[in-house]
Amino acid sequence: MKYHLRIWRQAGPDKPGRFEDYTVDNIEPDMSFLEMLDILNEQLIKEGKEPIAFDSDCREGICGMCGLVINGMAHGPRRLTTTCELRMRHFPDGATITVEPFRAEAFPIIKDLVVDRSALDRIIAAGGYISVNTGSAPDANAIPIPKHIAEEAMDAAACIGCGACVAACPNASAALFTAAKISHLALLPQGHPERERRVQRMVAQMDLEGFGNCSNHGECEAACPKGISILNIARMRREFLRAQVRGPVV
Amino acid sequence: MRMEKPKGWNTTVGKKVIMGLTGLFLVLYLIVHLAGNLTVFIPDGGRTMNLYSHTLHKTGPLLWIIRILLLLGFIYHIITGIQVTLRNRRARSERYAMYASKGGPSKMSPASRWMIITGLLIAVFVPIHVNMFSLGPYYETVINGEPMRDIYRLVVERFKEPEVAFGYAAFMLFLCAHLIHGIWSAFQSLGANNRRLMPFLYSLGTVLSILIAGGFFVLPIYTYFFIPLP
Protein backbone atom coordinates (compact mmCIF):
# COMPACT_ATOMS: atom_id res chain seq x y z
CA MET A 1 0.00 0.00 0.00
CA LYS A 2 1.10 3.54 -0.69
CA TYR A 3 0.62 6.63 1.50
CA HIS A 4 1.20 10.32 1.21
CA LEU A 5 2.32 11.83 4.49
CA ARG A 6 2.22 15.42 5.70
CA ILE A 7 4.56 15.44 8.66
CA TRP A 8 5.51 18.24 11.06
CA ARG A 9 9.25 18.89 10.97
CA GLN A 10 10.93 21.06 13.56
CA ALA A 11 14.69 21.10 14.10
CA GLY A 12 14.61 22.06 17.76
CA PRO A 13 12.58 23.53 20.65
CA ASP A 14 12.80 27.16 19.57
CA LYS A 15 13.13 26.59 15.85
CA PRO A 16 10.25 27.30 13.49
CA GLY A 17 8.38 24.19 12.30
CA ARG A 18 6.56 23.35 9.10
CA PHE A 19 4.84 20.49 7.33
CA GLU A 20 6.78 18.44 4.79
CA ASP A 21 5.32 15.98 2.32
CA TYR A 22 6.60 12.41 1.92
CA THR A 23 5.45 9.34 0.04
CA VAL A 24 5.99 5.76 1.27
CA ASP A 25 5.32 2.63 -0.79
CA ASN A 26 5.23 -1.14 -0.20
CA ILE A 27 3.49 -0.81 3.17
CA GLU A 28 1.91 -4.00 4.52
CA PRO A 29 -1.62 -3.66 5.93
CA ASP A 30 -0.55 -5.35 9.17
CA MET A 31 2.29 -2.94 9.83
CA SER A 32 1.85 -0.56 12.72
CA PHE A 33 1.88 3.19 12.17
CA LEU A 34 5.33 3.37 13.76
CA GLU A 35 6.70 0.60 11.52
CA MET A 36 5.47 2.62 8.56
CA LEU A 37 7.44 5.60 9.94
CA ASP A 38 10.49 3.32 10.42
CA ILE A 39 10.34 2.46 6.72
CA LEU A 40 10.02 6.12 5.82
CA ASN A 41 13.04 6.90 8.01
CA GLU A 42 15.16 4.17 6.36
CA GLN A 43 14.20 5.70 3.04
CA LEU A 44 15.22 9.17 4.29
CA ILE A 45 18.55 7.88 5.65
CA LYS A 46 19.34 6.21 2.30
CA GLU A 47 18.61 9.52 0.59
CA GLY A 48 21.02 11.19 3.01
CA LYS A 49 18.24 13.18 4.69
CA GLU A 50 17.51 13.74 8.37
CA PRO A 51 15.14 11.02 9.67
CA ILE A 52 11.94 12.03 11.43
CA ALA A 53 12.22 12.01 15.22
CA PHE A 54 9.34 10.32 17.06
CA ASP A 55 8.94 8.62 20.43
CA SER A 56 8.33 4.92 21.03
CA ASP A 57 9.39 2.23 23.43
CA CYS A 58 7.43 -0.95 24.16
CA ARG A 59 5.40 -0.89 20.94
CA GLU A 60 2.71 -2.99 22.61
CA GLY A 61 0.48 -0.28 24.03
CA ILE A 62 1.56 -0.34 27.66
CA CYS A 63 4.44 2.09 28.15
CA GLY A 64 2.84 5.40 27.18
CA MET A 65 5.87 6.58 25.24
CA CYS A 66 4.41 6.85 21.72
CA GLY A 67 1.92 9.50 20.80
CA LEU A 68 1.22 11.32 17.58
CA VAL A 69 -1.71 13.36 16.39
CA ILE A 70 -2.81 11.57 13.24
CA ASN A 71 -5.41 13.27 11.04
CA GLY A 72 -6.29 15.54 13.95
CA MET A 73 -6.78 12.74 16.49
CA ALA A 74 -4.40 11.80 19.31
CA HIS A 75 -3.15 8.24 18.62
CA GLY A 76 -5.09 8.25 15.34
CA PRO A 77 -8.67 7.46 14.44
CA ARG A 78 -9.15 4.18 16.38
CA ARG A 79 -10.56 4.28 19.90
CA LEU A 80 -8.72 2.55 22.78
CA THR A 81 -5.57 2.31 20.68
CA THR A 82 -2.06 3.71 21.09
CA THR A 83 -0.14 4.90 18.03
CA CYS A 84 2.08 1.80 18.15
CA GLU A 85 -0.94 -0.49 18.02
CA LEU A 86 -2.59 1.35 15.17
CA ARG A 87 -2.36 -0.71 11.95
CA MET A 88 -2.01 0.65 8.45
CA ARG A 89 -5.06 -1.34 7.29
CA HIS A 90 -7.16 1.36 8.96
CA PHE A 91 -6.02 3.83 6.30
CA PRO A 92 -7.16 3.39 2.68
CA ASP A 93 -4.43 2.80 0.10
CA GLY A 94 -3.24 6.07 -1.40
CA ALA A 95 -4.54 8.16 1.50
CA THR A 96 -2.91 11.40 2.62
CA ILE A 97 -2.20 11.31 6.36
CA THR A 98 -1.38 14.37 8.45
CA VAL A 99 0.97 13.75 11.39
CA GLU A 100 1.57 16.35 14.11
CA PRO A 101 3.10 16.31 17.57
CA PHE A 102 0.95 16.56 20.73
CA ARG A 103 0.43 20.30 21.00
CA ALA A 104 0.33 22.08 24.38
CA GLU A 105 2.35 24.85 25.99
CA ALA A 106 3.11 22.37 28.78
CA PHE A 107 4.51 19.88 26.22
CA PRO A 108 7.30 21.81 24.47
CA ILE A 109 8.47 20.26 21.21
CA ILE A 110 11.96 18.79 21.43
CA LYS A 111 12.29 17.79 17.79
CA ASP A 112 9.86 16.96 14.97
CA LEU A 113 7.19 14.78 16.60
CA VAL A 114 8.91 14.39 19.98
CA VAL A 115 7.51 16.45 22.85
CA ASP A 116 8.67 16.86 26.44
CA ARG A 117 6.00 15.36 28.71
CA SER A 118 7.95 15.64 31.95
CA ALA A 119 5.26 18.05 33.18
CA LEU A 120 3.20 14.90 33.86
CA ASP A 121 6.07 13.43 35.92
CA ARG A 122 6.22 16.62 37.99
CA ILE A 123 2.49 16.33 38.72
CA ILE A 124 3.10 12.80 40.06
CA ALA A 125 6.11 13.98 42.04
CA ALA A 126 3.93 16.65 43.67
CA GLY A 127 1.78 14.04 45.42
CA GLY A 128 0.86 11.06 43.26
CA TYR A 129 2.24 8.51 45.70
CA ILE A 130 1.72 7.10 49.18
CA SER A 131 4.40 7.51 51.83
CA VAL A 132 5.25 4.12 53.33
CA ASN A 133 8.24 2.52 54.98
CA THR A 134 9.68 0.08 52.51
CA GLY A 135 10.20 -3.49 53.60
CA SER A 136 8.87 -6.88 52.67
CA ALA A 137 5.68 -6.88 50.61
CA PRO A 138 2.52 -6.88 52.78
CA ASP A 139 0.15 -9.84 52.68
CA ALA A 140 -2.11 -9.67 49.63
CA ASN A 141 -5.42 -9.43 51.48
CA ALA A 142 -4.27 -7.86 54.74
CA ILE A 143 -6.51 -4.86 54.08
CA PRO A 144 -9.98 -5.90 52.90
CA ILE A 145 -11.04 -3.90 49.84
CA PRO A 146 -14.44 -4.52 48.19
CA LYS A 147 -14.16 -5.96 44.70
CA HIS A 148 -15.97 -3.07 42.97
CA ILE A 149 -13.70 -0.50 44.65
CA ALA A 150 -10.61 -2.44 43.63
CA GLU A 151 -11.93 -2.58 40.06
CA GLU A 152 -12.60 1.13 39.95
CA ALA A 153 -9.16 1.94 41.35
CA MET A 154 -7.63 -0.40 38.78
CA ASP A 155 -9.53 1.28 35.95
CA ALA A 156 -8.03 4.63 36.99
CA ALA A 157 -4.59 3.08 37.48
CA ALA A 158 -4.67 1.84 33.88
CA CYS A 159 -3.43 5.31 32.86
CA ILE A 160 -0.09 4.93 31.04
CA GLY A 161 0.65 8.66 31.17
CA CYS A 162 0.92 9.07 27.40
CA GLY A 163 -0.63 12.55 27.43
CA ALA A 164 -3.23 11.86 24.73
CA CYS A 165 -5.84 13.46 27.03
CA VAL A 166 -3.88 16.73 26.92
CA ALA A 167 -3.36 16.45 23.16
CA ALA A 168 -7.05 15.79 22.46
CA CYS A 169 -8.45 18.41 24.87
CA PRO A 170 -9.46 21.64 23.12
CA ASN A 171 -8.00 23.43 26.17
CA ALA A 172 -4.86 21.28 26.52
CA SER A 173 -5.98 20.36 30.03
CA ALA A 174 -4.30 17.60 32.00
CA ALA A 175 -7.40 17.05 34.17
CA LEU A 176 -7.95 13.43 33.10
CA PHE A 177 -4.34 12.42 33.76
CA THR A 178 -4.23 14.14 37.15
CA ALA A 179 -7.69 12.84 38.07
CA ALA A 180 -6.75 9.26 37.18
CA LYS A 181 -3.68 9.44 39.38
CA ILE A 182 -5.61 11.03 42.25
CA SER A 183 -8.52 8.60 41.84
CA HIS A 184 -6.66 5.33 42.03
CA LEU A 185 -5.13 6.39 45.32
CA ALA A 186 -8.23 8.10 46.73
CA LEU A 187 -10.31 4.96 46.21
CA LEU A 188 -8.02 2.75 48.28
CA PRO A 189 -7.48 2.85 52.07
CA GLN A 190 -3.70 3.17 51.57
CA GLY A 191 -4.29 6.48 49.82
CA HIS A 192 -6.53 8.01 52.47
CA PRO A 193 -4.01 9.44 54.99
CA GLU A 194 -2.55 11.89 52.45
CA ARG A 195 -5.59 12.55 50.31
CA GLU A 196 -6.10 16.26 51.11
CA ARG A 197 -2.47 17.17 50.67
CA ARG A 198 -2.24 15.05 47.51
CA VAL A 199 -5.09 16.70 45.59
CA GLN A 200 -4.04 20.20 46.55
CA ARG A 201 -0.41 19.70 45.57
CA MET A 202 -1.13 17.84 42.34
CA VAL A 203 -3.73 20.38 41.17
CA ALA A 204 -1.36 23.25 42.01
CA GLN A 205 1.45 21.58 40.06
CA MET A 206 -0.87 20.88 37.12
CA ASP A 207 -1.75 24.58 36.99
CA LEU A 208 1.84 25.65 37.39
CA GLU A 209 2.78 23.64 34.31
CA GLY A 210 0.42 25.76 32.20
CA PHE A 211 -2.25 23.21 31.28
CA GLY A 212 -5.72 24.59 30.45
CA ASN A 213 -8.99 24.24 32.37
CA CYS A 214 -11.25 21.23 32.05
CA SER A 215 -14.44 22.34 30.24
CA ASN A 216 -16.05 18.89 30.42
CA HIS A 217 -15.91 18.32 26.66
CA GLY A 218 -14.98 14.67 27.23
CA GLU A 219 -12.56 14.55 24.28
CA CYS A 220 -9.91 13.18 26.67
CA GLU A 221 -11.94 10.06 27.42
CA ALA A 222 -12.56 9.51 23.71
CA ALA A 223 -8.83 9.75 22.97
CA CYS A 224 -7.57 7.81 26.01
CA PRO A 225 -6.08 4.49 24.83
CA LYS A 226 -7.10 3.00 28.18
CA GLY A 227 -10.64 4.41 28.12
CA ILE A 228 -10.31 6.25 31.43
CA SER A 229 -13.61 7.91 32.33
CA ILE A 230 -14.12 11.62 32.96
CA LEU A 231 -16.01 10.51 36.08
CA ASN A 232 -12.53 10.41 37.60
CA ILE A 233 -12.39 14.17 37.01
CA ALA A 234 -15.60 14.51 39.03
CA ARG A 235 -13.91 12.49 41.78
CA MET A 236 -10.84 14.75 41.66
CA ARG A 237 -13.16 17.73 42.20
CA ARG A 238 -14.82 15.99 45.18
CA GLU A 239 -11.38 15.31 46.61
CA PHE A 240 -10.49 18.95 46.01
CA LEU A 241 -13.65 20.25 47.74
CA ARG A 242 -13.06 17.86 50.62
CA ALA A 243 -9.52 19.18 50.97
CA GLN A 244 -10.77 22.78 50.84
CA VAL A 245 -13.11 22.06 53.75
CA ARG A 246 -10.88 19.86 55.90
CA GLY A 247 -7.34 19.72 54.68
CA PRO A 248 -4.22 21.82 54.95
CA VAL A 249 -3.88 24.49 52.30
CA VAL A 250 -0.49 23.90 50.71
CA MET B 1 4.43 29.43 30.74
CA ARG B 2 5.57 29.89 34.32
CA MET B 3 3.31 31.47 36.89
CA GLU B 4 2.77 31.70 40.62
CA LYS B 5 1.66 28.52 42.38
CA PRO B 6 -2.14 28.75 42.47
CA LYS B 7 -4.10 27.90 45.60
CA GLY B 8 -7.67 26.98 46.48
CA TRP B 9 -10.29 28.77 44.44
CA ASN B 10 -7.67 30.24 42.11
CA THR B 11 -6.76 26.81 40.75
CA THR B 12 -8.28 25.50 37.53
CA VAL B 13 -10.38 23.09 39.61
CA GLY B 14 -11.47 25.87 41.99
CA LYS B 15 -12.48 28.19 39.17
CA LYS B 16 -14.66 25.52 37.60
CA VAL B 17 -16.35 24.98 40.97
CA ILE B 18 -17.14 28.71 40.97
CA MET B 19 -18.47 28.45 37.41
CA GLY B 20 -20.67 25.52 38.42
CA LEU B 21 -22.03 27.11 41.61
CA THR B 22 -22.80 30.50 40.08
CA GLY B 23 -24.16 28.81 36.95
CA LEU B 24 -26.59 26.61 38.86
CA PHE B 25 -27.69 29.59 40.95
CA LEU B 26 -28.49 31.51 37.76
CA VAL B 27 -30.35 28.50 36.32
CA LEU B 28 -32.41 28.31 39.51
CA TYR B 29 -33.26 31.98 39.06
CA LEU B 30 -34.20 31.39 35.42
CA ILE B 31 -36.71 28.74 36.50
CA VAL B 32 -38.37 31.09 39.01
CA HIS B 33 -38.29 33.93 36.48
CA LEU B 34 -39.91 31.74 33.82
CA ALA B 35 -42.60 30.56 36.24
CA GLY B 36 -43.48 34.21 36.88
CA ASN B 37 -43.44 35.09 33.19
CA LEU B 38 -45.72 32.24 32.23
CA THR B 39 -48.55 34.15 33.96
CA VAL B 40 -48.69 36.17 30.73
CA PHE B 41 -50.55 33.20 29.22
CA ILE B 42 -53.39 33.53 31.75
CA PRO B 43 -56.12 35.39 29.83
CA ASP B 44 -57.16 37.76 32.62
CA GLY B 45 -55.80 40.99 31.16
CA GLY B 46 -52.62 40.75 33.23
CA ARG B 47 -54.28 40.58 36.64
CA THR B 48 -52.25 37.55 37.81
CA MET B 49 -49.00 38.86 36.40
CA ASN B 50 -49.36 42.27 38.00
CA LEU B 51 -50.37 40.76 41.34
CA TYR B 52 -47.37 38.42 41.18
CA SER B 53 -45.02 41.29 40.40
CA HIS B 54 -46.60 43.44 43.11
CA THR B 55 -46.24 40.65 45.70
CA LEU B 56 -42.57 40.26 44.77
CA HIS B 57 -41.95 43.97 45.21
CA LYS B 58 -43.68 43.97 48.59
CA THR B 59 -40.93 41.67 49.96
CA GLY B 60 -38.70 44.79 49.89
CA PRO B 61 -35.31 44.04 51.48
CA LEU B 62 -35.51 40.33 50.58
CA LEU B 63 -35.95 41.27 46.92
CA TRP B 64 -32.90 43.52 47.13
CA ILE B 65 -30.81 40.78 48.73
CA ILE B 66 -31.76 38.45 45.88
CA ARG B 67 -31.05 41.13 43.29
CA ILE B 68 -27.60 41.81 44.74
CA LEU B 69 -26.81 38.09 44.93
CA LEU B 70 -27.94 37.69 41.33
CA LEU B 71 -25.82 40.58 40.15
CA LEU B 72 -22.78 39.25 42.00
CA GLY B 73 -23.35 35.71 40.71
CA PHE B 74 -23.81 37.00 37.18
CA ILE B 75 -20.66 39.14 37.23
CA TYR B 76 -18.59 36.45 38.97
CA HIS B 77 -19.75 33.88 36.40
CA ILE B 78 -18.75 36.15 33.51
CA ILE B 79 -15.37 37.20 34.91
CA THR B 80 -14.41 33.63 35.83
CA GLY B 81 -15.64 32.42 32.42
CA ILE B 82 -13.42 34.94 30.65
CA GLN B 83 -10.42 34.01 32.83
CA VAL B 84 -10.99 30.31 32.11
CA THR B 85 -11.21 30.94 28.36
CA LEU B 86 -8.08 33.09 28.27
CA ARG B 87 -6.10 30.44 30.12
CA ASN B 88 -7.36 27.78 27.72
CA ARG B 89 -6.18 29.81 24.73
CA ARG B 90 -2.75 30.28 26.31
CA ALA B 91 -2.47 26.55 27.03
CA ARG B 92 -2.20 25.83 23.28
CA SER B 93 -0.74 28.79 21.42
CA GLU B 94 0.25 26.73 18.37
CA ARG B 95 -3.01 25.30 16.98
CA TYR B 96 -3.37 21.95 15.25
CA ALA B 97 -3.43 22.02 11.45
CA MET B 98 -6.08 19.33 11.67
CA TYR B 99 -8.33 18.67 14.66
CA ALA B 100 -11.03 16.01 14.84
CA SER B 101 -13.04 14.14 17.46
CA LYS B 102 -13.04 10.37 17.90
CA GLY B 103 -16.66 10.56 19.04
CA GLY B 104 -17.44 7.68 21.37
CA PRO B 105 -18.00 8.94 24.92
CA SER B 106 -17.09 12.53 23.98
CA LYS B 107 -19.59 15.19 24.98
CA MET B 108 -18.02 17.83 22.73
CA SER B 109 -20.51 19.74 20.60
CA PRO B 110 -20.88 23.24 19.17
CA ALA B 111 -22.70 24.03 22.44
CA SER B 112 -19.68 23.00 24.53
CA ARG B 113 -17.13 24.68 22.25
CA TRP B 114 -18.98 27.99 22.01
CA MET B 115 -19.77 28.55 25.71
CA ILE B 116 -17.81 31.81 25.75
CA ILE B 117 -19.63 33.12 22.65
CA THR B 118 -23.14 32.20 23.82
CA GLY B 119 -22.19 33.37 27.32
CA LEU B 120 -21.04 36.80 26.13
CA LEU B 121 -24.16 37.16 23.97
CA ILE B 122 -26.30 36.52 27.06
CA ALA B 123 -24.14 39.00 28.99
CA VAL B 124 -25.04 41.62 26.38
CA PHE B 125 -28.70 40.64 26.35
CA VAL B 126 -29.35 40.80 30.10
CA PRO B 127 -28.63 44.53 30.69
CA ILE B 128 -30.71 45.47 27.64
CA HIS B 129 -33.49 43.25 28.93
CA VAL B 130 -33.45 44.69 32.47
CA ASN B 131 -33.35 48.21 31.07
CA MET B 132 -36.36 47.47 28.86
CA PHE B 133 -38.61 45.97 31.52
CA SER B 134 -37.61 46.50 35.17
CA LEU B 135 -36.23 49.98 34.42
CA GLY B 136 -38.75 50.67 31.65
CA PRO B 137 -41.76 53.06 31.70
CA TYR B 138 -43.90 52.90 34.82
CA TYR B 139 -47.56 52.28 33.94
CA GLU B 140 -50.01 52.14 36.80
CA THR B 141 -53.12 50.08 37.31
CA VAL B 142 -55.50 49.41 40.20
CA ILE B 143 -56.29 45.85 41.24
CA ASN B 144 -58.51 45.11 44.26
CA GLY B 145 -58.44 48.80 45.08
CA GLU B 146 -54.65 48.81 45.33
CA PRO B 147 -52.54 50.86 42.93
CA MET B 148 -49.63 48.91 41.44
CA ARG B 149 -47.28 48.79 38.46
CA ASP B 150 -48.90 47.52 35.24
CA ILE B 151 -45.93 45.44 34.14
CA TYR B 152 -48.23 43.32 31.97
CA ARG B 153 -49.01 46.29 29.75
CA LEU B 154 -45.32 47.10 29.34
CA VAL B 155 -44.51 43.47 28.43
CA VAL B 156 -47.31 43.20 25.85
CA GLU B 157 -46.48 46.63 24.40
CA ARG B 158 -42.82 45.72 23.92
CA PHE B 159 -43.53 42.32 22.46
CA LYS B 160 -45.88 43.89 19.93
CA GLU B 161 -42.76 45.39 18.36
CA PRO B 162 -41.52 42.68 15.98
CA GLU B 163 -37.80 43.47 16.42
CA VAL B 164 -38.16 43.12 20.19
CA ALA B 165 -40.24 39.91 20.07
CA PHE B 166 -38.12 38.11 17.49
CA GLY B 167 -34.80 39.50 18.73
CA TYR B 168 -35.66 38.30 22.22
CA ALA B 169 -36.62 34.86 20.89
CA ALA B 170 -33.36 34.63 18.91
CA PHE B 171 -31.30 35.27 22.02
CA MET B 172 -33.13 32.41 23.72
CA LEU B 173 -31.54 30.03 21.19
CA PHE B 174 -28.12 31.12 22.48
CA LEU B 175 -29.38 30.58 26.03
CA CYS B 176 -30.52 27.08 25.07
CA ALA B 177 -27.08 26.21 23.65
CA HIS B 178 -25.37 27.63 26.74
CA LEU B 179 -27.55 25.60 29.11
CA ILE B 180 -27.31 22.34 27.13
CA HIS B 181 -23.63 22.12 27.97
CA GLY B 182 -23.81 24.25 31.11
CA ILE B 183 -26.27 22.39 33.30
CA TRP B 184 -24.79 18.86 33.27
CA SER B 185 -21.32 20.36 33.15
CA ALA B 186 -22.00 22.32 36.36
CA PHE B 187 -22.72 19.10 38.23
CA GLN B 188 -19.57 17.51 36.78
CA SER B 189 -17.54 20.58 37.81
CA LEU B 190 -18.88 20.33 41.35
CA GLY B 191 -17.93 16.65 41.48
CA ALA B 192 -21.61 15.71 41.80
CA ASN B 193 -21.42 12.97 39.20
CA ASN B 194 -20.86 9.22 39.09
CA ARG B 195 -21.60 6.22 36.91
CA ARG B 196 -25.28 6.04 37.88
CA LEU B 197 -25.93 9.80 37.86
CA MET B 198 -24.20 10.55 34.55
CA PRO B 199 -27.00 9.54 32.12
CA PHE B 200 -29.59 11.18 34.38
CA LEU B 201 -27.68 14.47 34.70
CA TYR B 202 -26.97 14.62 30.99
CA SER B 203 -30.65 14.09 30.12
CA LEU B 204 -31.76 16.49 32.87
CA GLY B 205 -29.45 19.15 31.44
CA THR B 206 -30.84 18.76 27.93
CA VAL B 207 -34.50 18.60 28.99
CA LEU B 208 -34.21 21.56 31.38
CA SER B 209 -32.39 23.65 28.75
CA ILE B 210 -35.11 23.06 26.20
CA LEU B 211 -37.89 23.72 28.73
CA ILE B 212 -36.32 26.91 30.11
CA ALA B 213 -35.13 28.42 26.83
CA GLY B 214 -38.25 27.09 25.08
CA GLY B 215 -40.51 28.83 27.61
CA PHE B 216 -38.72 32.16 27.18
CA PHE B 217 -38.72 31.61 23.40
CA VAL B 218 -42.46 30.98 23.04
CA LEU B 219 -43.44 33.87 25.33
CA PRO B 220 -42.59 36.86 23.10
CA ILE B 221 -43.78 35.12 19.94
CA TYR B 222 -47.11 34.11 21.48
CA THR B 223 -47.54 37.63 22.80
CA TYR B 224 -46.76 39.14 19.39
CA PHE B 225 -49.35 37.05 17.59
CA PHE B 226 -52.10 36.29 20.10
CA ILE B 227 -52.23 38.68 23.05
CA PRO B 228 -54.19 41.92 22.45
CA LEU B 229 -52.84 45.23 23.74
CA PRO B 230 -54.56 46.06 27.06
Side-chain angles (χ1 to χ4, degrees), chain B residues 12-24:
Chain B
T12 53
V13 176
K15 282 197 189 295
K16 290 298 296 200
V17 169
I18 291 167
M19 290 306 284
L21 277 178
T22 50
L24 284 184

Side-chain angles (χ1 to χ4, degrees), chain A residues 152-153 155-156 175-184 186-187 214 216-222 224 227-240, chain B residues 105-107 184-185 187-202:
Chain A
E152 217 165 334
D155 284 348
L176 189 64
F177 168 82
T178 310
K181 299 302 176 192
I182 287 171
S183 270
H184 85 265
L187 281 160
C214 169
N216 305 323
H217 295 295
E219 274 298 293
C220 50
E221 183 178 340
C224 178
I228 292 170
S229 166
I230 56 167
L231 292 170
N232 288 299
I233 301 179
R235 182 178 294 106
M236 169 172 74
R237 286 155 172 167
R238 284 201 292 282
E239 287 291 309
F240 174 83
Chain B
S106 177
K107 300 273 183 286
W184 90 268
S185 181
F187 286 99
Q188 169 80 3
S189 292
L190 292 169
N193 199 2
N194 63 30
R195 210 170 298 282
R196 267 168 297 141
L197 276 174
M198 181 79 165
F200 168 73
L201 288 177
Y202 199 68

Side-chain angles (χ1 to χ4, degrees), chain A residues 159-229:
Chain A
C159 169
I160 54 174
C162 64
C165 44
V166 176
C169 175
N171 312 336
S173 164
L176 189 64
F177 168 82
T178 310
K181 299 302 176 192
I182 287 171
S183 270
H184 85 265
L185 294 173
L187 281 160
L188 300 174
Q190 293 92 329
H192 288 173
E194 292 161 300
R195 66 198 295 183
E196 289 89 7
R197 203 179 70 170
R198 177 179 305 117
V199 66
Q200 289 185 329
R201 287 189 176 176
M202 289 178 77
V203 166
Q205 188 62 39
M206 170 175 85
D207 289 359
L208 203 59
E209 298 292 347
F211 293 105
N213 296 270
C214 169
S215 297
N216 305 323
H217 295 295
E219 274 298 293
C220 50
E221 183 178 340
C224 178
K226 301 300 158 186
I228 292 170
S229 166

Side-chain angles (χ1 to χ4, degrees), chain A residues 25 29 44 48 54 59 70 74 86 89 93 110 118 123 129 133 136 159 164 186 192-193 195 206-207 239:
Chain A
D25 208 349
L44 290 176
F54 63 88
R59 297 211 178 191
I70 302 163
L86 181 66
R89 58 175 172 269
D93 192 12
I110 297 171
S118 51
I123 294 175
Y129 51 79
N133 294 321
S136 55
C159 169
H192 288 173
R195 66 198 295 183
M206 170 175 85
D207 289 359
E239 287 291 309

